[in-house]
Amino acid sequence: MSRDLPKKPLHIVMAASEAVPYAKTGGLADVVGVLPQELIRLGHEVTVMLPGYRSVLESLPTREITLHFTTPVGSVSREGTLEEVCVPVGDGLSPLKIVVVRCDPYFDRPGLYQDEHGDYHDNLERFALFSQAVLRWIRYLSERDGRSVDVLHLHDWQTALCSVYLKAGVRGLAIPGVKTLLTLHNVGYQGLFPGEQFPVTGLPDALFSPRALEFYGLVNCLKGGIVFSDAVSTVSQTYAKEILTKEFGYGLEGVLADRREGIPGIVNGIDVNVWNPETDRFVPASYSVCDLSGKKICKRLLQRELGLPVRSVPLLAAIGRLTYQKGFDLLLEALPEMVLLDVQLVLLGTGDRDLEERLLEAQSAYPDCVAVRVGFDEGLAHRIQAGADMLIMPSRYEPCGLTQLQSLRYGTVPIVRRTGGLADTIVPFKPSTVRANLATGFQFDTPTSEAMLSAILLAVSVYREQETWCSLIKAGMKADVSWVRSAAQYEQLYRTVLSSPT
Ligand code: GLC
């Protein structure tokens, strides 16, 4: 009987350091930009809390101040405000509330975490203050109008300290009834700071211990979150297993393995309205799984835009941050052999200076085969997804990955390293998967240029068998890469966390 009763809508607060379209350096922003909307569609009330970076203040000008706060940070006191704004998410749906934590000396800067000299020296102060402000707002809500928050959903190290403040209960920040879920988007980034900086957090000294935030003499924010959150999740099932190993756990594998109830992996979706080849305003010709002719036009125009010869050779694309994680150095290594295959390669990304330079040199060395665009260009990213034949993701590790999901939707066949979310979202080309029309891409195991090259070689030979290639494209375009299923999984996880004893 009780099973038929409608489930109570939840009040979820999502605290994060990035969200599209307000502030973005990586995939985290895409997740926090879209998941809340899908949860609202499921009937829940969702509030997103963001630091008041310059880009946030500029893109959300009509905020209302709800609360003034003062927080001691080490020997100084910082003043700030909590400012609310409601953003419509769709007809007939309640709006999304965004609460901006404004503290201009910390956040009104050009970058999110760093400038051209490196990371901001006060990042621990900045995110400790942000985390405390999140809890102040939740406390204020319950005091002002008795409205309780069910789940505080945290993302990555920048918000992990919220769980520590809640459990430690310092500065009146223990709020009964609030459960926390910490989602790990990348265990390679932990928020590590010199041990001497610990006092700026205002946490009791006893928490600077190996069972809490101490990590080889450093402060480790992510570790604190993993130890003190009610639940911890990550963004694919394979990554959830990988982070329990030395190779992927970056020193936290033991702490992660200590979580008794395990770490579920929920793969991300993408915004299927923004990434839709039938309606995409950035691409020159629209197409769909029923009529792919527009994709050919997109390819020709992309080759022209990039200054590559307009030829019917396989056009491979690589898009993303130029970091060690993404493995683009393997592409560079493989380039002399790749060009012998008579393929073209377009690469769009920004990051590591040395890699940027080497890629630009490669472009000069092979101008007819290689086009490199350094920077962040949303429109070009869409045109590449629409015009390319294949996407290559040689990641050393990839918690989920979003680019391959965009590729599936655009009929661009992914060639990926079998790791994390890449292993979970791409059905590899094999006789059995091809026969069943299930294959959506190619996978390789070791992060070496040789392994990657053999996968590219296989993909290029399949590309020439039109019918098989078309079945790969179609299976990919039909795959569900939306947030619908994943949002329902998060809802389930929230309810599990809520019903678990504290
Ligand atoms: C990080 C990960 C990426 C994941 C994204 C969103 O950027 O590196 O794999 O897709 O977070 O969860």
Side-chain angles (χ1 to χ4, degrees), residues 284 295-316 342-346 363 367-373 380 383-384 386-389 463:
K295 188 163 173 71
K296 292 207 178 81
I297 304 176
C298 291
K299 178 172 175 180
R300 275 204 303 276
L301 293 175
L302 177 66
Q303 286 170 319
R304 202 172 296 158
E305 176 176 356
L306 297 169
L308 289 170
V310 179
R311 298 179 55 215
S312 61
V313 293
L315 175 55
L316 273 83
D342 201 16
V343 298
Q344 295 176 338
L345 172 72
V346 48
Q363 172 178 249
D368 283 349
C369 312
V370 179
V372 173
R373 294 292 177 274
L380 182 57
R383 286 192 294 284
I384 292 177
D389 296 299
Y463 173 83

Short mmCIF file of all heavy atoms in Angstrom, two decimals, residues 284 295-316 342-346 363 367-373 380 383-384 386-389 463:
data_model
loop_
_atom_site.label_atom_id
_atom_site.label_comp_id
_atom_site.label_asym_id
_atom_site.label_seq_id
_atom_site.Cartn_x
_atom_site.Cartn_y
_atom_site.Cartn_z
N PRO A 284 26.41 24.56 -39.59
CA PRO A 284 25.88 25.10 -40.85
C PRO A 284 24.75 24.28 -41.48
O PRO A 284 23.99 24.81 -42.26
CB PRO A 284 27.12 25.09 -41.76
CG PRO A 284 28.05 24.10 -41.17
CD PRO A 284 27.80 24.08 -39.71
N LYS A 295 25.35 16.08 -42.30
CA LYS A 295 26.66 15.86 -41.66
C LYS A 295 27.79 16.00 -42.69
O LYS A 295 28.87 16.50 -42.37
CB LYS A 295 26.70 14.50 -40.97
CG LYS A 295 27.96 14.29 -40.13
CD LYS A 295 27.83 13.16 -39.13
CE LYS A 295 29.15 12.86 -38.43
NZ LYS A 295 29.58 13.90 -37.49
N LYS A 296 27.51 15.56 -43.92
CA LYS A 296 28.53 15.67 -44.99
C LYS A 296 28.83 17.14 -45.28
O LYS A 296 29.98 17.53 -45.48
CB LYS A 296 28.03 15.00 -46.26
CG LYS A 296 27.89 13.50 -46.13
CD LYS A 296 28.05 12.82 -47.50
CE LYS A 296 27.98 11.31 -47.39
NZ LYS A 296 26.59 10.80 -47.31
N ILE A 297 27.77 17.95 -45.28
CA ILE A 297 27.96 19.39 -45.53
C ILE A 297 28.78 19.99 -44.38
O ILE A 297 29.71 20.77 -44.60
CB ILE A 297 26.59 20.11 -45.64
CG1 ILE A 297 25.76 19.45 -46.74
CG2 ILE A 297 26.77 21.61 -45.86
CD1 ILE A 297 24.35 20.00 -46.88
N CYS A 298 28.42 19.60 -43.17
CA CYS A 298 29.16 20.11 -41.99
C CYS A 298 30.64 19.76 -42.11
O CYS A 298 31.51 20.56 -41.75
CB CYS A 298 28.60 19.51 -40.70
SG CYS A 298 26.95 20.11 -40.31
N LYS A 299 30.94 18.57 -42.61
CA LYS A 299 32.34 18.14 -42.73
C LYS A 299 33.09 19.02 -43.74
O LYS A 299 34.17 19.54 -43.43
CB LYS A 299 32.42 16.67 -43.14
CG LYS A 299 33.84 16.18 -43.34
CD LYS A 299 33.90 14.69 -43.55
CE LYS A 299 35.31 14.21 -43.87
NZ LYS A 299 35.38 12.77 -44.07
N ARG A 300 32.48 19.20 -44.89
CA ARG A 300 33.14 20.02 -45.93
C ARG A 300 33.41 21.44 -45.41
O ARG A 300 34.49 21.98 -45.57
CB ARG A 300 32.25 20.10 -47.17
CG ARG A 300 32.43 18.94 -48.12
CD ARG A 300 32.00 19.31 -49.53
NE ARG A 300 30.63 19.79 -49.62
CZ ARG A 300 29.56 19.00 -49.73
NH1 ARG A 300 29.72 17.68 -49.76
NH2 ARG A 300 28.34 19.50 -49.81
N LEU A 301 32.39 22.01 -44.78
CA LEU A 301 32.55 23.39 -44.32
C LEU A 301 33.54 23.49 -43.16
O LEU A 301 34.23 24.49 -43.00
CB LEU A 301 31.19 23.98 -43.93
CG LEU A 301 30.24 24.16 -45.13
CD1 LEU A 301 28.88 24.63 -44.69
CD2 LEU A 301 30.82 25.17 -46.14
N LEU A 302 33.60 22.44 -42.37
CA LEU A 302 34.58 22.44 -41.28
C LEU A 302 36.00 22.37 -41.84
O LEU A 302 36.89 23.11 -41.40
CB LEU A 302 34.32 21.25 -40.34
CG LEU A 302 35.32 21.08 -39.20
CD1 LEU A 302 35.24 22.25 -38.22
CD2 LEU A 302 35.10 19.77 -38.44
N GLN A 303 36.20 21.51 -42.83
CA GLN A 303 37.54 21.43 -43.45
C GLN A 303 37.93 22.80 -44.00
O GLN A 303 39.05 23.25 -43.81
CB GLN A 303 37.52 20.38 -44.58
CG GLN A 303 37.49 18.95 -44.06
CD GLN A 303 37.23 17.93 -45.17
OE1 GLN A 303 36.41 18.16 -46.05
NE2 GLN A 303 37.92 16.80 -45.11
N ARG A 304 36.97 23.46 -44.62
CA ARG A 304 37.26 24.79 -45.18
C ARG A 304 37.59 25.77 -44.05
O ARG A 304 38.57 26.50 -44.12
CB ARG A 304 36.07 25.28 -45.98
CG ARG A 304 36.45 26.33 -46.97
CD ARG A 304 35.32 26.68 -47.91
NE ARG A 304 34.90 25.60 -48.78
CZ ARG A 304 33.69 25.53 -49.36
NH1 ARG A 304 32.80 26.46 -49.15
NH2 ARG A 304 33.40 24.53 -50.16
N GLU A 305 36.77 25.76 -43.00
CA GLU A 305 36.99 26.69 -41.87
C GLU A 305 38.37 26.49 -41.26
O GLU A 305 39.02 27.44 -40.83
CB GLU A 305 35.89 26.47 -40.80
CG GLU A 305 36.09 27.32 -39.54
CD GLU A 305 34.96 27.17 -38.51
OE1 GLU A 305 33.96 26.47 -38.77
OE2 GLU A 305 35.10 27.77 -37.42
N LEU A 306 38.83 25.24 -41.25
CA LEU A 306 40.10 24.94 -40.59
C LEU A 306 41.29 25.09 -41.54
O LEU A 306 42.44 24.91 -41.14
CB LEU A 306 40.08 23.51 -40.05
CG LEU A 306 39.05 23.21 -38.96
CD1 LEU A 306 38.96 21.72 -38.72
CD2 LEU A 306 39.42 23.95 -37.67
N GLY A 307 41.00 25.36 -42.81
CA GLY A 307 42.09 25.48 -43.78
C GLY A 307 42.67 24.12 -44.17
O GLY A 307 43.81 24.04 -44.64
N LEU A 308 41.89 23.07 -44.02
CA LEU A 308 42.35 21.74 -44.43
C LEU A 308 41.81 21.46 -45.84
O LEU A 308 40.74 21.97 -46.19
CB LEU A 308 41.80 20.67 -43.48
CG LEU A 308 42.40 20.63 -42.08
CD1 LEU A 308 41.58 19.68 -41.19
CD2 LEU A 308 43.86 20.21 -42.10
N PRO A 309 42.53 20.67 -46.63
CA PRO A 309 42.01 20.34 -47.96
C PRO A 309 40.64 19.66 -47.84
O PRO A 309 40.46 18.81 -46.96
CB PRO A 309 43.04 19.35 -48.53
CG PRO A 309 44.25 19.51 -47.68
CD PRO A 309 43.83 20.04 -46.36
N VAL A 310 39.69 20.05 -48.71
CA VAL A 310 38.36 19.43 -48.66
C VAL A 310 38.44 18.10 -49.41
O VAL A 310 38.36 18.03 -50.63
CB VAL A 310 37.30 20.38 -49.28
CG1 VAL A 310 35.92 19.72 -49.25
CG2 VAL A 310 37.28 21.69 -48.51
N ARG A 311 38.65 17.03 -48.64
CA ARG A 311 38.82 15.69 -49.23
C ARG A 311 37.99 14.70 -48.43
O ARG A 311 37.70 14.93 -47.25
CB ARG A 311 40.30 15.27 -49.13
CG ARG A 311 41.25 16.17 -49.88
CD ARG A 311 42.68 15.68 -49.70
NE ARG A 311 42.82 14.29 -50.09
CZ ARG A 311 43.63 13.42 -49.48
NH1 ARG A 311 44.38 13.80 -48.48
NH2 ARG A 311 43.69 12.17 -49.89
N SER A 312 37.66 13.56 -49.06
CA SER A 312 36.84 12.61 -48.31
C SER A 312 37.71 11.57 -47.59
O SER A 312 37.62 10.39 -47.83
CB SER A 312 35.82 11.94 -49.21
OG SER A 312 36.50 11.24 -50.21
N VAL A 313 38.58 12.08 -46.73
CA VAL A 313 39.38 11.19 -45.88
C VAL A 313 38.81 11.28 -44.46
O VAL A 313 38.15 12.25 -44.13
CB VAL A 313 40.88 11.62 -45.86
CG1 VAL A 313 41.49 11.40 -47.22
CG2 VAL A 313 41.03 13.07 -45.42
N PRO A 314 39.07 10.27 -43.62
CA PRO A 314 38.54 10.35 -42.26
C PRO A 314 39.06 11.58 -41.52
O PRO A 314 40.25 11.86 -41.54
CB PRO A 314 39.07 9.07 -41.59
CG PRO A 314 39.44 8.16 -42.70
CD PRO A 314 39.80 9.02 -43.87
N LEU A 315 38.12 12.31 -40.91
CA LEU A 315 38.49 13.50 -40.15
C LEU A 315 38.35 13.17 -38.66
O LEU A 315 37.25 12.93 -38.17
CB LEU A 315 37.59 14.67 -40.55
CG LEU A 315 37.73 15.98 -39.78
CD1 LEU A 315 39.17 16.49 -39.79
CD2 LEU A 315 36.83 17.07 -40.38
N LEU A 316 39.49 13.14 -37.98
CA LEU A 316 39.50 12.82 -36.55
C LEU A 316 39.52 14.09 -35.74
O LEU A 316 40.19 15.05 -36.13
CB LEU A 316 40.75 12.03 -36.19
CG LEU A 316 40.71 10.52 -36.34
CD1 LEU A 316 40.98 10.13 -37.77
CD2 LEU A 316 41.74 9.90 -35.40
N ASP A 342 46.67 8.70 -44.16
CA ASP A 342 45.82 9.59 -44.95
C ASP A 342 44.53 9.94 -44.19
O ASP A 342 43.42 9.64 -44.63
CB ASP A 342 45.49 8.98 -46.33
CG ASP A 342 45.06 10.07 -47.31
OD1 ASP A 342 45.31 11.25 -47.02
OD2 ASP A 342 44.47 9.74 -48.35
N VAL A 343 44.72 10.54 -43.05
CA VAL A 343 43.59 11.05 -42.27
C VAL A 343 43.86 12.53 -41.97
O VAL A 343 44.98 13.00 -42.14
CB VAL A 343 43.42 10.30 -40.92
CG1 VAL A 343 43.13 8.83 -41.15
CG2 VAL A 343 44.65 10.48 -40.02
N GLN A 344 42.84 13.22 -41.53
CA GLN A 344 43.04 14.59 -41.05
C GLN A 344 42.71 14.63 -39.56
O GLN A 344 41.88 13.86 -39.08
CB GLN A 344 42.12 15.56 -41.81
CG GLN A 344 42.45 15.65 -43.28
CD GLN A 344 41.46 16.53 -44.04
OE1 GLN A 344 40.34 16.76 -43.60
NE2 GLN A 344 41.88 17.03 -45.18
N LEU A 345 43.37 15.55 -38.85
CA LEU A 345 43.16 15.66 -37.42
C LEU A 345 42.91 17.11 -37.04
O LEU A 345 43.67 17.99 -37.44
CB LEU A 345 44.40 15.14 -36.67
CG LEU A 345 44.40 15.36 -35.15
CD1 LEU A 345 43.40 14.43 -34.45
CD2 LEU A 345 45.79 15.12 -34.56
N VAL A 346 41.84 17.34 -36.29
CA VAL A 346 41.62 18.68 -35.76
C VAL A 346 41.65 18.60 -34.24
O VAL A 346 41.06 17.70 -33.65
CB VAL A 346 40.31 19.32 -36.24
CG1 VAL A 346 39.13 18.39 -36.09
CG2 VAL A 346 40.03 20.61 -35.47
N GLN A 363 51.17 21.34 -36.38
CA GLN A 363 50.32 21.91 -37.42
C GLN A 363 51.18 22.50 -38.55
O GLN A 363 50.87 22.32 -39.73
CB GLN A 363 49.42 22.99 -36.82
CG GLN A 363 48.63 23.76 -37.84
CD GLN A 363 47.72 24.79 -37.19
OE1 GLN A 363 46.51 24.66 -37.22
NE2 GLN A 363 48.30 25.81 -36.60
N PRO A 367 50.67 20.76 -42.47
CA PRO A 367 49.54 21.69 -42.65
C PRO A 367 48.35 21.08 -43.40
O PRO A 367 47.24 21.54 -43.25
CB PRO A 367 50.15 22.86 -43.43
CG PRO A 367 51.38 22.32 -44.05
CD PRO A 367 51.88 21.21 -43.20
N ASP A 368 48.60 20.03 -44.19
CA ASP A 368 47.49 19.45 -44.95
C ASP A 368 46.70 18.42 -44.15
O ASP A 368 45.65 17.96 -44.59
CB ASP A 368 48.01 18.76 -46.22
CG ASP A 368 48.34 19.79 -47.28
OD1 ASP A 368 47.96 20.97 -47.07
OD2 ASP A 368 48.99 19.43 -48.27
N CYS A 369 47.25 18.04 -43.00
CA CYS A 369 46.59 16.98 -42.23
C CYS A 369 46.18 17.43 -40.84
O CYS A 369 45.29 16.82 -40.23
CB CYS A 369 47.50 15.77 -42.02
SG CYS A 369 48.31 15.20 -43.46
N VAL A 370 46.86 18.44 -40.30
CA VAL A 370 46.62 18.76 -38.89
C VAL A 370 46.18 20.21 -38.74
O VAL A 370 46.83 21.12 -39.27
CB VAL A 370 47.91 18.52 -38.06
CG1 VAL A 370 47.68 18.88 -36.60
CG2 VAL A 370 48.38 17.08 -38.18
N ALA A 371 45.08 20.41 -38.01
CA ALA A 371 44.64 21.77 -37.68
C ALA A 371 44.51 21.87 -36.17
O ALA A 371 43.86 21.03 -35.55
CB ALA A 371 43.30 22.07 -38.34
N VAL A 372 45.18 22.87 -35.59
CA VAL A 372 45.15 23.02 -34.13
C VAL A 372 44.56 24.38 -33.81
O VAL A 372 44.94 25.39 -34.40
CB VAL A 372 46.58 22.90 -33.55
CG1 VAL A 372 46.58 23.21 -32.06
CG2 VAL A 372 47.14 21.51 -33.81
N ARG A 373 43.60 24.40 -32.90
CA ARG A 373 43.05 25.68 -32.44
C ARG A 373 43.21 25.72 -30.93
O ARG A 373 42.61 24.91 -30.21
CB ARG A 373 41.56 25.81 -32.80
CG ARG A 373 41.29 25.89 -34.29
CD ARG A 373 41.80 27.20 -34.92
NE ARG A 373 41.60 27.26 -36.36
CZ ARG A 373 42.42 26.76 -37.28
NH1 ARG A 373 43.54 26.15 -36.92
NH2 ARG A 373 42.14 26.87 -38.57
N LEU A 380 32.92 26.50 -32.25
CA LEU A 380 33.79 25.59 -33.01
C LEU A 380 33.67 24.17 -32.46
O LEU A 380 33.68 23.20 -33.22
CB LEU A 380 35.24 26.09 -32.96
CG LEU A 380 36.25 25.27 -33.75
CD1 LEU A 380 35.87 25.15 -35.23
CD2 LEU A 380 37.67 25.87 -33.64
N ARG A 383 30.79 22.72 -34.12
CA ARG A 383 31.01 22.45 -35.55
C ARG A 383 31.96 21.26 -35.74
O ARG A 383 31.82 20.50 -36.70
CB ARG A 383 31.55 23.70 -36.25
CG ARG A 383 30.46 24.77 -36.45
CD ARG A 383 30.91 25.87 -37.38
NE ARG A 383 32.00 26.66 -36.84
CZ ARG A 383 31.87 27.60 -35.90
NH1 ARG A 383 30.68 27.86 -35.38
NH2 ARG A 383 32.92 28.27 -35.45
N ILE A 384 32.90 21.10 -34.82
CA ILE A 384 33.79 19.94 -34.91
C ILE A 384 33.00 18.66 -34.66
O ILE A 384 33.11 17.68 -35.39
CB ILE A 384 34.97 20.07 -33.92
CG1 ILE A 384 35.89 21.22 -34.35
CG2 ILE A 384 35.75 18.77 -33.84
CD1 ILE A 384 37.05 21.50 -33.39
N ALA A 386 29.98 18.13 -35.21
CA ALA A 386 29.08 17.87 -36.33
C ALA A 386 29.85 17.42 -37.58
O ALA A 386 29.39 16.56 -38.32
CB ALA A 386 28.27 19.11 -36.65
N GLY A 387 31.05 18.01 -37.80
CA GLY A 387 31.75 17.77 -39.05
C GLY A 387 32.74 16.61 -39.02
O GLY A 387 33.07 16.06 -40.07
N ALA A 388 33.20 16.21 -37.85
CA ALA A 388 34.23 15.17 -37.79
C ALA A 388 33.61 13.79 -37.98
O ALA A 388 32.41 13.58 -37.78
CB ALA A 388 34.95 15.24 -36.46
N ASP A 389 34.45 12.83 -38.37
CA ASP A 389 33.99 11.45 -38.49
C ASP A 389 34.22 10.68 -37.20
O ASP A 389 33.47 9.78 -36.85
CB ASP A 389 34.76 10.74 -39.62
CG ASP A 389 34.47 11.37 -40.96
OD1 ASP A 389 33.30 11.36 -41.37
OD2 ASP A 389 35.42 11.89 -41.59
N TYR A 463 35.76 2.42 -41.32
CA TYR A 463 35.19 3.62 -41.96
C TYR A 463 34.95 3.39 -43.45
O TYR A 463 34.01 3.90 -44.04
CB TYR A 463 36.17 4.78 -41.73
CG TYR A 463 35.85 6.07 -42.44
CD1 TYR A 463 34.95 6.98 -41.90
CD2 TYR A 463 36.48 6.39 -43.66
CE1 TYR A 463 34.66 8.17 -42.56
CE2 TYR A 463 36.20 7.57 -44.31
CZ TYR A 463 35.30 8.46 -43.76
OH TYR A 463 35.02 9.63 -44.41
#
